[in-house]
Amino acid sequence: CLLVLEDCVETGCVGQRVAAILAQHGQAPEKLVLINLGKTFLPEGTVPQLEHQAGIDAAGIARAVQEART
């Protein structure tokens, strides 16, 4: 399982590039979880509020790890 957490938009993120390189070398992970800001920009808010909304806070990361393990 490969989980990549990034504070960036989805398109062209490092997680996509790492997954592509691994696949080229026959090492694609069984599960790939990319956590990032998605396809849109977030509205105004404090950093903790924005991280929570994007799912890149501690609770969001823990939830993604639990989902990846099942």
Side-chain angles (χ1 to χ4, degrees), residues 22-38:
L22 289 172
Q24 287 175 343
H25 294 285
Q27 299 294 319
E30 289 183 29
K31 287 189 177 186
L32 173 64
V33 179
L34 302 177
I35 303 174
N36 51 49
L37 302 179

Side-chain angles (χ1 to χ4, degrees), residues 9-56:
V9 293
E10 178 179 33
T11 305
C13 67
V14 172
Q16 288 178 340
R17 295 194 59 172
V18 169
I21 291 168
L22 289 172
Q24 287 175 343
H25 294 285
Q27 299 294 319
E30 289 183 29
K31 287 189 177 186
L32 173 64
V33 179
L34 302 177
I35 303 174
N36 51 49
L37 302 179
K39 297 179 181 181
T40 61
F41 291 101
L42 297 175
E44 294 180 19
T46 66
V47 171
Q49 290 171 331
L50 297 174
E51 288 175 343
H52 177 73
Q53 183 175 350
I56 59 174

